[in-house]
Amino acid sequence: MLNGKGSFVRAAFIEHFRMSFVSTRLASTFSVQPPNPNIKTIPGCISFLQSFAQHFDLSKGKELHSWMLRHDLLTSPLSITSLINMYSKCNHMSYAVSVFESLGNSRNVYAYNAIIAGFVGNNGYGEGFNFYLDMRCRGVLPDKFTFPCVIKGCSDVVEMRKIHALLFKYGLDLDAFIGSALVNCYLKFKAINDAYTVFDDLRLSDVVLCNAMINGFVHIGEYKMALEVFRTMNEREATPNNFTVTGCLSALSMMGDLDNGYAMHGFVIKKGYESVLAVSNALIDMYGKCKCLDDALLIFYDMAEKDIFSWNTLLSIHQQCGDYHGMMDFFHRMLDAGVRPDLVTITTVLPACPPLAALLHVKEIHKYMIANGMGRCRNNDDFENLLVNNILLDVYVKCGSMQYAYQVFNRMTLKDVASWNIMIMGYGMHGHGNEALSMFVLMCADQISPDEVTFVGVLSSCSHSGFLSRGREYLSQMESVYGLVPTIEHYACVIDMLGRAGQIDEAYELLVTMPIESNAVAWRCFLAACRLHGNASLAEIAAKKLLELDPDHCGSYVLMSNVYGASGRYDEVSDVRLTMRGQNIKKKPGYSWIEVNNVIHFFVTADRDHPEADSIYDSLDSLIAPLSEHGYAPSA
């Protein structure tokens, strides 16, 4: 039994005996002949096991395993290694361990290499490293195929240096693939000097080693150093390949270096790498990060072959550029091209729906998710599906559909604090204060610890629903009960709550006596309350403070202008507007969206640019006329 993983190995032994029983029972259901005529010899079995591993066909692999057990075809170390590899590729490491343990004292370097590679390939770095330690304890000598996986599974730089020293003992310190693994690992731990020592000692014109340096530097955010390695490749007479190019393009993307991006594009054309899918995708990403949507689209449409990453990258670029309409059009082109969206597509497209008020699109995407099993959390570590569910919740909330949001929330088998926060904020935002606070109670009953965002939602709900006493109570409970120190966001919510309820003096007292420094947001909340209740004297104090804190924000001027206008002080209104013009401060117009027959229309105040503007205003006049007969007067 291996040290440090006793429970895992015990489970593996149990699984091995269970498999032996099941395998015998399965084998008894076969005909006298094997499942395939070629599976009569050990080489034939190995060939099929490799095929099943390549196609991730676990069921056929298990059937063949049972056949091999019954017909005594597990006598070859190579067949054992192939079985371990097959189960590893199919992500069933407990089966792989049971096969490995069946070797007893006959474990050799090939079996150890297979089990270590299996764990490392399935992100079980600690378990893989433990098998390496067991290998050393048993006196099995590692070879050049052992070390790349062991190095990848190493968890700290001290252990890495021990392995590096061992490589000199075994004469493997000059192996290019081991050197690449060393470089990657040292850079992962940000041991840049150690990485350069390996790089300089090898002095190979090996492009794999150079690529390891480039990608390692990109991974830790040292983009300039990655490009410097690219420049030194000529000195080593190492010819850059397509992997070199993708690494350099990643560095240029993160730096936003468009000029060198153009130069790298020219290098790609010169070398003929533009036909490589990964290179084209990297170019699209680079142009996207540099906000060059047209250049990215040119590459995309020139590509002979596209994959889901190509489409997702373009969707993401539209989102980064704020082109939500173009993004939705591109998404529909993707569907028309027969490309199946994945989780990345969904998480990119969904957030574009609220700015467009495109609830119908949200519902269509939601239906697609249900039909394709997306968002169904399979275990407590399924964070990808949890993320997409939270995004779907947030989108329904922002589109004003709390009914659909609750349906999604209620069906989620896995929820985190963000899931509850979205629902609390949503109910509060739409004026359902009681539901928001009930959701908070349920959250605590479900043993989910609230965070600072939770209390922003709770206090905001109290503000919008006029729950003064409960709001004060929650603010005091934050630190005394939940151990959370209130921030300026929480105090701003309480100031807004007091202001909405007409408690202007109490709001002002809290604003000037709270234990943390106030900011423009808190003062703007107070100014809005002064405007709501017509308190011009305190409004002037707030406006003066806001001019000190945030002199370029148009909202403060507009609020103050409205305060003066409501009290009939039109000279002051003119002064405020003159100040805005003098400082070139302009209020951005507010847009409204509406979706009709799957077409999104957007407007500004007194908009005449819409192609059907005349018809819209005629319909509006026909509605206002009968209302006016009953005393309605539209506001100016």
Side-chain angles (χ1 to χ4, degrees):
M1 191 170 293
L2 303 182
N3 295 329
K5 55 180 180 18
S7 59
F8 185 88
V9 174
R10 280 195 296 274
F13 271 123
I14 293 170
E15 183 63 26
H16 171 63
F17 290 123
R18 187 188 70 80
M19 278 184 60
S20 298
F21 173 76
V22 172
S23 298
T24 304
R25 184 161 55 84
L26 282 172
S28 66
T29 65
F30 292 161
S31 62
V32 177
Q33 296 298 319
N36 188 292
N38 292 324
I39 313 181
K40 287 183 179 180
T41 63
I42 289 176
C45 292
I46 292 170
S47 177
F48 274 90
L49 284 172
Q50 291 171 346
S51 176
F52 298 152
Q54 185 179 357
H55 295 92
F56 312 107
D57 196 337
L58 178 64
S59 60
K60 288 184 179 178
K62 288 169 71 175
E63 288 180 8
L64 180 53
H65 184 186
S66 66
W67 174 267
M68 294 170 72
L69 277 170
R70 185 176 181 186
H71 292 83
D72 199 26
L73 293 175
L74 291 176
T75 55
S76 165
L78 193 53
S79 62
I80 295 289
T81 304
S82 298
L83 264 176
I84 294 171
N85 178 63
M86 185 274 295
Y87 282 128
S88 300
K89 291 289 177 62
C90 294
N91 197 23
H92 277 264
M93 291 309 300
S94 60
Y95 289 8
V97 171
S98 70
V99 174
F100 177 83
E101 296 292 347
S102 69
L103 287 169
N105 294 324
S106 302
R107 302 165 190 167
N108 58 20
V109 65
Y110 307 109
Y112 272 109
N113 287 352
I115 198 70
I116 293 169
F119 273 112
V120 171
N122 285 286
N123 297 322
Y125 302 114
E127 292 93 336
F129 198 78
N130 280 338
F131 275 99
Y132 164 72
L133 295 177
D134 181 73
M135 177 186 191
R136 297 290 313 282
C137 289
R138 291 177 180 269
V140 179
L141 294 179
D143 61 14
K144 67 177 183 179
F145 300 105
T146 312
F147 283 107
C149 289
V150 171
I151 290 168
K152 190 174 181 181
C154 196
S155 59
D156 63 74
V157 72
V158 175
E159 208 58 60
M160 183 70 259
R161 287 173 180 146
K162 290 179 183 178
I163 295 172
H164 193 178
L166 195 63
L167 290 170
F168 286 96
K169 177 180 177 180
Y170 291 136
L172 296 172
D173 53 302
L174 297 180
D175 184 271
F177 287 99
I178 294 176
S180 299
L182 278 171
V183 164
N184 265 320
C185 197
Y186 275 135
L187 289 177
K188 180 178 70 175
F189 299 127
K190 298 191 176 182
I192 294 174
N193 290 335
D194 293 282
Y196 261 116
T197 298
V198 176
F199 187 64
D200 291 336
D201 285 349
L202 286 171
R203 298 303 300 174
L204 298 173
S205 60
D206 190 277
V207 69
V208 175
L209 183 62
C210 295
N211 290 349
M213 286 289 283
I214 291 171
N215 289 309
F217 278 128
V218 170
H219 184 71
I220 63 172
E222 297 287 349
Y223 308 120
K224 290 183 179 179
M225 297 185 80
L227 297 175
E228 188 60 34
V229 174
F230 174 71
R231 294 187 185 98
T232 63
M233 289 182 73
N234 284 332
E235 299 173 10
R236 292 189 172 225
E237 299 179 352
T239 304
N241 61 14
N242 55 294
F243 297 105
T244 316
V245 170
T246 54
C248 291
L249 284 171
S250 295
L252 295 170
S253 297
M254 300 309 295
M255 293 169 66
D257 188 345
L258 183 59
D259 290 338
N260 281 316
Y262 281 131
M264 185 60 69
H265 192 177
F267 179 80
V268 166
I269 294 171
K270 178 181 177 181
K271 292 292 184 179
Y273 293 150
E274 67 269 28
S275 60
V276 178
L277 179 61
V279 172
S280 293
N281 285 340
L283 279 169
I284 292 173
D285 183 59
M286 184 273 296
Y287 281 124
K289 293 286 196 317
C290 295
K291 301 291 181 69
C292 296
L293 178 58
D294 291 339
D295 289 312
L297 285 170
L298 282 174
I299 294 172
F300 178 84
Y301 289 121
D302 283 343
M303 291 169 65
E305 178 190 359
K306 304 174 182 69
D307 61 4
I308 186 67
F309 184 82
S310 316
W311 291 91
N312 285 346
T313 305
L314 256 300
L315 287 169
S316 179
I317 294 169
H318 280 92
Q319 183 190 50
Q320 292 165 16
C321 295
D323 184 9
Y324 299 115
H325 292 281
M327 181 181 185
M328 294 308 297
D329 288 341
F330 195 78
F331 176 61
H332 286 118
R333 289 186 195 177
M334 175 179 176
L335 297 177
D336 292 340
V339 180
R340 291 172 59 86
D342 61 4
L343 280 175
V344 176
T345 316
I346 301 300
T347 54
T348 304
V349 173
L350 273 175
C353 296
L356 301 175
L359 182 59
L360 182 61
H361 288 304
V362 181
K363 292 178 180 178
E364 289 176 351
I365 294 170
H366 190 186
K367 289 176 184 176
Y368 178 87
M369 289 172 59
I370 294 171
N372 291 275
M374 293 182 176
R376 189 181 304 155
C377 294
R378 293 166 178 82
N379 53 60
N380 290 333
D381 296 325
D382 196 351
F383 297 115
E384 285 188 352
N385 281 298
L386 174 61
L387 173 64
V388 77
N389 281 331
N390 284 344
I391 291 174
L392 185 61
L393 273 181
D394 187 56
V395 169
Y396 271 131
V397 166
K398 288 177 178 175
C399 287
S401 183
M402 290 306 301
Q403 178 185 356
Y404 286 108
Y406 181 74
Q407 288 177 5
V408 174
F409 179 83
N410 203 36
R411 291 173 183 169
M412 288 170 63
T413 56
L414 180 62
K415 304 180 182 77
D416 63 358
V417 65
S419 315
W420 292 92
N421 288 349
I422 291 166
M423 294 300 293
I424 292 169
M425 296 283 283
Y427 278 125
M429 183 193 310
H430 296 294
H432 304 295
N434 285 319
E435 289 84 350
L437 299 183
S438 297
M439 190 65 68
F440 175 70
V441 172
L442 289 173
M443 174 185 182
C444 295
D446 205 33
Q447 297 184 336
I448 302 293
S449 299
D451 60 11
E452 289 84 354
V453 178
T454 311
F455 278 96
V456 170
V458 167
L459 293 170
S460 179
S461 301
C462 292
S463 173
H464 285 83
S465 300
F467 299 151
L468 278 178
S469 60
R470 295 173 77 176
R472 293 188 186 100
E473 183 181 349
Y474 281 125
L475 181 66
S476 66
Q477 286 181 356
M478 270 191 71
E479 191 164 7
S480 62
V481 177
Y482 298 99
L484 299 170
V485 179
T487 64
I488 188 61
E489 287 80 9
H490 302 105
Y491 283 109
C493 287
V494 177
I495 291 165
D496 183 60
M497 176 184 71
L498 294 169
R500 286 173 184 268
Q503 306 294 320
I504 302 297
D505 292 334
E506 187 179 350
Y508 179 69
E509 183 181 357
L510 177 62
L511 186 56
V512 297
T513 60
M514 60 186 183
I516 55 178
E517 187 177 354
S518 61
N519 65 1
V521 175
W523 280 101
R524 201 168 291 117
C525 287
F526 179 68
L527 179 56
C530 293
R531 179 238 175 189
L532 179 65
H533 296 285
N535 193 321
S537 58
L538 287 177
E540 287 179 331
I541 295 173
K544 183 178 178 181
K545 188 68 177 178
L546 280 168
L547 289 176
E548 295 174 7
L549 295 172
D550 193 4
D552 298 325
H553 195 286
C554 65
S556 307
Y557 296 93
V558 172
L559 283 170
M560 199 62 226
S561 175
N562 291 337
V563 170
Y564 287 138
S567 58
R569 297 164 62 177
Y570 298 112
D571 289 341
E572 283 87 344
V573 172
S574 298
D575 290 342
V576 171
R577 293 182 177 177
L578 185 63
T579 301
M580 290 179 68
R581 283 195 294 270
Q583 297 183 11
N584 196 28
I585 297 172
K586 298 179 181 179
K587 181 181 181 297
K588 294 181 180 179
Y591 283 85
S592 296
W593 284 265
I594 187 170
E595 185 177 5
V596 180
N597 296 328
N598 205 25
V599 177
I600 299 166
H601 305 264
F602 59 97
F603 307 87
V604 295
T605 303
D607 194 350
R608 290 284 178 180
D609 293 333
H610 193 278
E612 300 179 44
D614 293 338
S615 174
I616 292 170
Y617 279 103
D618 288 343
S619 299
L620 182 62
D621 291 339
S622 68
L623 292 172
I624 292 175
L627 290 173
S628 300
E629 295 175 2
H630 292 81
Y632 167 76
S635 59

